[in-house]
Amino acid sequence: FKWSEGEPSRLQDVLLRFDFADVEPVALIGSAVSLGPVAAEVGIRNTAVMPAPQADQGYVFVFALRGVLALGSRVRTVLDMERRTDGSISAQTRFETAAGSALTVGKLVDLVWPADGRRRALSSSLKGLFAFPDGFPGVNVVRALTVGGFGISWTLADPARLLDVHYEFFLQDVVQLIGPVTIGPLSSRVTVRNVAVRDADADTDVDSGAGAGNGNGKDDYRVLFDLKGNLTLGDFAVVSASLSRDEGGAIVAKADLDSAHMKTILTVRRLLEMVLPASEQERRQRQGRGLLTDENGYLGLPDGFPGASVLEKIRVGGLGFVWTDTAPARLQDVNFSFSFAEDAPVTLYKSLTLGPIAATVGVRNTVVMPDVPDNGYVFVFDLAASLNVAERVTLTTTVSRNSFGAITLDVDFSQYSGEPLTVDYILGLVLPDGLLAGRKRRALSDGLAYLGLPERFPGAEALGKLAVSGFGLVWSDADPSRLQDIFFAFDVRDRVPLLGPLDLAGFHANVRVRNTEVSPGGIDDGYVFMFDIRGTLAVDDFFSVDLQMARDETGSVEADADFHTFVQVGGKRLDVGAMLQMLVEDRLAEGDGGEGRHARGLFDDAAAFLGFPDGFPGQAVLEAFQLRDLGFAWSKSDPPRLQDVRFSIGIYNHPIALGTEQLQLTSIYANCVVRNTAVMPDVEEGEGRHLFLFQLRGTLLIGQVASVSMHMGRSQDGLITGGADLRTVFDKLAVGTLLDLIVPGRLGRRTDAGGADSEGGAFGMPAGFPPQADLERISVAELGFAWNTGAADGGPSQLQDIFLKFKFAADEPVTLYGPLKLGPILASVGVRNTARVPGAEDRGYVFVFDLAGTVTLADKLRLTLGVSRDTSGKIEAKGDFGTAEGEPVSVGELTTWLLPAGVLQQAGGGGDGRRRAVDPAAFGLPQGFPGADFINNVVIKGIGFTWTTAEPSRLQDVHWTFELADPVRLHSALTLTGTSLTMQVRRMDVFPHLGESGYRFMFSASGSMRVLDSHQVHALLQRDEVGDIFAALEYGLVREALPDVDALVTGLATTDGSGSGSGAPGGSYLGLPEGFPGVEVLGRLDVASLTLRWSGAHSPPRFQAATFAVKFAEEHPVTLYGPLQLGPISAIVTLQNNDLIPLTPRDGWAFVFDLRGTLSLNTMKLTLGMTRDANHTIAAVADFTTATGQVRSVGALIDSLFPD
């Protein structure tokens, strides 16, 4: 018996001692580890009589056992086991008295965790059951070591389950941690813990003999260890150290240098020289700021801290190591601690000083850290110190630097009891001089928006006098000498008006003043205010709710109410109508922006309230719904003005038909926004209006066959879209089934020539695609919707499109044309009601689609091809060469597959002037371009297709893009460089009404045109369907002025470089009549623009004409006849080779022109137009509708013109 302590003593324990001598050995861990015979002492303990702090658990069993432990068949030793008052059970043994063969770590591991599925849970690190960090001996070495101790502990559950197995051994090796720093020999204790057993519910009925792997699939093992040994610090000292790993996998080592006997003092410099690799030391020396710096200063400390000469002499007081929790664990940090003396305070910033300081600094290897940018070795630190503020007050503070280089100071106000520090005092202390008065850009605003707060908040006078309850600083990691953030906290206890009748009933504010010039955001906007406010939003006699409000670096202010804290006051109910009545200006019912609302406007319409489309409940119903959430957003103006009111509602008892009764939306949760665009930036004054936006989720009922979750939203441009993922539906819906349900009259049943049942043209797809019967059997993956922006009469949005998304199988590719095959294909097909498409012709329901698949070009090149059909029925496709795989394809290979043999060998150009589309030299390109033999070998870089709009659609055009590296000499005066070409070939047999066959080539080419080898300008060449080729020079991109008229005409009026043309064909320069300026004047005029044309009737096309623009100055009017004078004049002149133009006089180069000018006759002025045609006929017509001054009579005109 045993009695309790205290007076009078009470009976505490009744002890029974007995032996298990004749009982079978007890299996502790599987069958390999057993106990018996056993001598036991069991106690019944009354915890109620035990002194505190023992909890009263009534009567509990405690015991102490000693018995023979059998480990396998060859090792016997004595085991002691006990159960304590708290119910914990543990057992341990030492192997000094063991009988049989020596037990190694490997044998023990194999006994306790047999090599079956149970051990797989223990192999999460490279060292398996040992989990030692990188550098320690491998598994084979540790397995051969002799076990010196062994123990077991069980859970507190009843029955108790095996929790920990630990074993001890001695490691004779010395392990290198980093550089000359080593640890060893080591005494080691490794623990394998089944945390799943510990965390399991105590009621779980589990066999207590299940062992380390209980076979229930729920084991979760963690490997822990504790090592103790000698840490050798190079030639400086040998100290005791401990190394441990916790359940989370973190490995930490610690050594106390204060108690160590040092041969010489271990300074910061000497320690870092030991732990920093030589390559890292060399890199830092090259930076020129001292050996122990990184990019941001000595030890990463900001400017003002002691330099290297001081810090390198300070004695290190503590030392520690941290490894990563990855496998294998790699050394991440070497930490050391030291102190700065009190007599050398550090000036942090202006009048803020720090000292004395206790510092812990870490050398961190970011290379081995997951989820951290690789910055090599960086310094991190934590300092604890006293902060002196302008020699007025002293506060406790911490300064820290993280892996990214950010330095933060945080002041502890919890123990502070001195004079209050106000907001104004703190800002005046740390902000640049004059900033509070001068308001640099968006810095500190006026009284309406002090600290960046919205309208109606207290101004600077009130807030500036508040006492701060928190204070801190953050330095720029780009420049540690400059402050990035000043943050402080304060409390406002008075009510603050916020919006309409809504007040903030007191709040706590955390404010941050950020210098954006040095912040990482990249927005240099001077000093800006950011804040985070928490308070109570309240309306007297109505409601109160907790509110959080924040402003970010861009000036965006948002607030959200937490409706979990909502308190109703009085008998009123906070519903949509009440909220809008309080918050939205003038209720919008009286007009929006002054223009008034239509009878079916947003607010007053029974069907379009809050911007919802046709079918949703009207205003009277929705206004009665109770709010779920409430939030606000303010504009980025100064002061911020209310921009958005956000709220949430649930629509549960109003199923909504989406275009058809077979599609019903129910159980809707909607987030709504009322947005006032008038306060948004970049909106002209008077142009703003209120918009309703929403995002909702609900359940879509599809006929009687399926229900699925659906989302729907309205954006600021008024577009409403929605969708549902049908892959979640248990019974898959086929395309045909869905169309039967949702398309009125099943437009797919049309049998006319344009119907979807026509051969090969289901859903408007081109010939070659699977027929309708095949497509209708495919399962629909997604369902989508699009509404228009509202009916013409101002009514609500109507359902315009229903989209089905499905996939074509890869084993049935679609033949586009010849050897071009497409597949697998992901398609989105839309059924569009053109009657509801604004501005479109009403063609009833039509199919539109977007599909993407892999196209293979002659088994060589694979790339993604997108194919789309619009409302007009036009089908286009474009290949994405960014996704291309395989071998490049040349122009020649492509045309060989696409065109019948011999097309490129057809004769071109006929004497009858008919233009043939295909030129034997090079696809109809003008003279000077390389021939087909060369272009055929150029690699294509883009491809596309166009189909006819008739149903079924047939392939009409194929176009491909390639580039020419070499310059192209188009004419002796024209050279094209950097040429990008898009060739297009058109099949004429797909247009039966034209009665033509064969193929036509068109092209567009762009590049840089060099004119006269001295002036360069961007140019675009195009060949149209009939073979004419035009070139336009993009004058807005001219790098140099175009040549003057004389140089241009002389250069171009040649026979393609083989001769020179007349300087004044037709007897007058530019073909102008007598009286116009001559060659000397006109030749010096600047050319303002230039276009070129080649003859399509010749093969290859030859340079035919150049058109350019010039201006005659006003101060040099032209005398046409007698008193008639013309000026100023703008002229478009064409220099053309009549030899290449059918049905014109064949007399070489000639000028034609079209000019406009002001004609003067005494006091009368009017516009005159003058033209010259290919036959050299010049005609002029005056426009009397433009006449000003005294209009002449017939007689006066004759007298003026013919005075004799």
Side-chain angles (χ1 to χ4, degrees), residues 426-720:
I426 291 291
L427 291 176
L429 200 65
V430 293
L431 288 179
D433 297 332
L435 184 62
L436 277 167
R439 285 188 59 208
K440 178 186 175 186
R441 280 179 286 178
R442 280 177 53 202
L444 309 180
S445 198
D446 55 25
L448 284 175
Y450 187 66
L451 308 183
L453 294 165
E455 280 185 299
R456 305 184 71 190
F457 268 77
E461 189 173 336
L463 293 178
K465 296 174 182 175
L466 293 173
V468 300
S469 56
F471 170 61
L473 305 171
V474 176
W475 280 262
S476 164
D477 58 354
D479 183 359
S481 66
R482 301 187 65 183
L483 271 182
Q484 173 183 303
D485 292 349
I486 306 142
F487 55 90
F488 53 90
F490 58 86
D491 293 284
V492 176
R493 292 179 173 82
D494 299 330
R495 288 179 80 95
V496 174
L498 185 63
L499 299 165
L502 299 181
D503 294 340
L504 271 179
F507 60 86
H508 174 79
N510 293 308
V511 177
R512 189 177 293 254
V513 187
R514 170 160 292 171
N515 181 1
T516 56
E517 186 181 346
V518 297
S519 71
I523 307 171
D524 179 7
D525 207 3
Y527 286 82
V528 297
F529 280 103
M530 301 146 66
F531 57 73
D532 187 352
I533 289 174
R534 295 170 191 273
T536 301
L537 185 71
V539 177
D540 287 337
D541 304 324
F542 201 162
F543 72 90
S544 69
V545 63
D546 287 354
L547 186 82
Q548 180 178 354
M549 179 187 288
R551 185 181 202 241
D552 63 17
E553 186 172 322
T554 67
S556 177
V557 183
E558 298 191 7
D560 285 295
D562 180 4
F563 268 65
H564 292 101
T565 64
F566 184 80
V567 176
Q568 191 81 49
V569 179
K572 294 182 182 178
R573 199 166 162 270
L574 184 58
D575 51 33
V576 175
M579 184 274 300
L580 292 175
Q581 191 73 46
M582 287 189 295
L583 298 176
V584 181
E585 301 170 7
D586 303 324
R587 262 325 287 293
L588 297 181
E590 300 301 323
D592 188 14
E595 81 281 8
R597 287 193 173 273
H598 193 277
R600 299 191 66 189
L602 286 176
F603 243 91
D604 293 333
D605 173 46
F609 183 67
L610 304 182
F612 289 140
D614 221 356
F616 273 76
Q619 180 169 343
V621 175
L622 290 177
E623 280 200 355
F625 285 170
Q626 195 153 3
L627 288 188
R628 299 297 192 85
D629 296 289
L630 184 60
F632 308 93
W634 281 261
S635 67
K636 295 182 181 179
S637 56
D638 188 3
R641 294 178 59 196
L642 183 65
Q643 174 183 304
D644 292 352
V645 178
R646 306 167 177 170
F647 57 94
S648 301
I649 55 175
I651 306 173
Y652 295 113
N653 301 316
H654 295 272
I656 294 157
L658 299 182
T660 168
E661 291 300 320
Q662 299 298 323
L663 294 174
Q664 298 273 339
L665 187 61
T666 184
S667 301
I668 301 165
Y669 183 81
N671 293 312
C672 304
V673 177
V674 184
R675 173 164 294 165
N676 180 9
T677 62
V679 302
M680 296 177 70
D682 305 324
V683 174
E684 296 291 333
E685 187 172 350
E687 289 188 2
R689 60 195 183 97
H690 282 83
L691 295 174
F692 287 93
L693 318 174
F694 63 80
Q695 289 288 335
L696 62 81
R697 295 199 74 85
T699 300
L700 180 67
L701 304 177
I702 304 173
Q704 303 296 316
V705 295
S707 69
V708 65
S709 177
M710 178 183 161
H711 61 85
M712 180 173 165
R714 184 177 200 248
S715 57
Q716 191 163 314
D717 55 11
L719 294 175
I720 303 175

Side-chain angles (χ1 to χ4, degrees), residues 98 122 137 193 325 352 403 414 450 507 519 720 827 909 999 1022 1073 1110 1203:
L122 301 173
R193 175 168 296 163
D325 58 2
L352 301 176
S403 303
S414 61
Y450 187 66
F507 60 86
S519 71
I720 303 175
Y999 296 82
Q1022 285 187 310
V1110 291

Side-chain angles (χ1 to χ4, degrees), residues 89-112:
I89 304 172
S90 63
Q92 51 275 327
T93 183
R94 303 300 300 173
F95 282 87
E96 290 85 350
T97 60
S101 58
L103 183 66
T104 63
V105 173
K107 289 178 182 176
L108 176 65
V109 168
D110 292 340
L111 283 171
V112 178

Side-chain angles (χ1 to χ4, degrees), residues 96-296:
E96 290 85 350
T97 60
S101 58
L103 183 66
T104 63
V105 173
K107 289 178 182 176
L108 176 65
V109 168
D110 292 340
L111 283 171
V112 178
W113 299 281
D116 57 17
R118 287 181 289 178
R119 198 193 291 183
R120 282 199 294 270
L122 301 173
S123 59
S124 58
S125 70
L126 185 70
K127 301 291 187 278
L129 287 172
F130 315 116
F132 292 156
D134 214 11
F136 273 73
V139 174
N140 292 335
V141 174
V142 179
R143 283 179 64 89
L145 298 175
T146 301
V147 176
F150 174 68
I152 310 169
S153 63
W154 284 262
T155 64
L156 301 178
D158 191 0
R161 295 181 61 195
L162 185 64
L163 173 63
D164 286 354
V165 175
H166 70 260
Y167 48 93
E168 300 170 12
F169 53 90
F170 190 75
L171 185 61
Q172 190 66 43
D173 296 343
V174 173
V175 178
Q176 181 184 17
L177 295 184
I178 185 169
V181 180
T182 62
I183 189 169
L186 295 164
S187 62
S188 310
R189 175 181 170 126
V190 177
T191 301
V192 181
R193 175 168 296 163
N194 189 348
V195 293
V197 167
R198 181 198 59 197
D199 298 336
D201 187 354
D203 295 334
T204 305
D205 183 14
V206 180
D207 178 9
S208 61
N214 55 32
N216 61 8
K218 297 180 181 178
D219 299 324
D220 182 9
Y221 292 97
R222 306 288 164 85
V223 181
L224 298 64
F225 58 73
D226 283 294
L227 312 180
K228 289 183 171 53
N230 290 330
L231 185 73
T232 304
L233 300 169
D235 297 329
F236 290 93
V238 178
V239 298
S240 296
S242 63
L243 180 68
S244 61
R245 184 180 199 256
D246 62 19
E247 274 189 24
I251 302 174
V252 178
K254 295 178 182 177
D256 183 7
L257 301 186
D258 290 330
S259 61
H261 175 70
M262 296 279 186
K263 297 176 185 177
T264 57
I265 294 175
L266 181 61
T267 62
V268 172
R269 181 181 185 88
R270 286 169 176 162
L271 175 64
L272 290 175
E273 284 175 339
M274 281 194 284
V275 300
L276 279 174
S279 59
E280 181 69 14
Q281 294 187 42
E282 290 171 8
R283 184 179 74 86
R284 293 174 183 279
Q285 285 173 326
R286 286 197 302 271
Q287 292 172 358
R289 290 192 65 183
L291 170 64
L292 306 178
T293 66
D294 63 11
E295 287 78 355
N296 292 320

Side-chain angles (χ1 to χ4, degrees), residues 967-968 970 974-980 1005-1011 1015-1021 1033 1037 1039-1040:
V968 176
L970 296 174
L974 302 171
T975 304
L976 192 63
T977 60
T979 313
S980 175
S1006 63
S1008 187
M1009 183 78 82
R1010 196 154 192 82
V1011 184
H1015 302 83
Q1016 195 151 319
V1017 60
H1018 188 77
L1020 179 67
L1021 277 73
L1033 277 63
L1037 302 175
R1039 299 193 194 97
E1040 310 158 57

Side-chain angles (χ1 to χ4, degrees), residues 912-933:
D912 59 357
R914 289 189 59 202
R915 294 166 181 142
R916 301 291 282 262
V918 180
D919 181 80
F923 310 105
L925 293 167
Q927 192 172 28
F929 271 85
D933 291 341

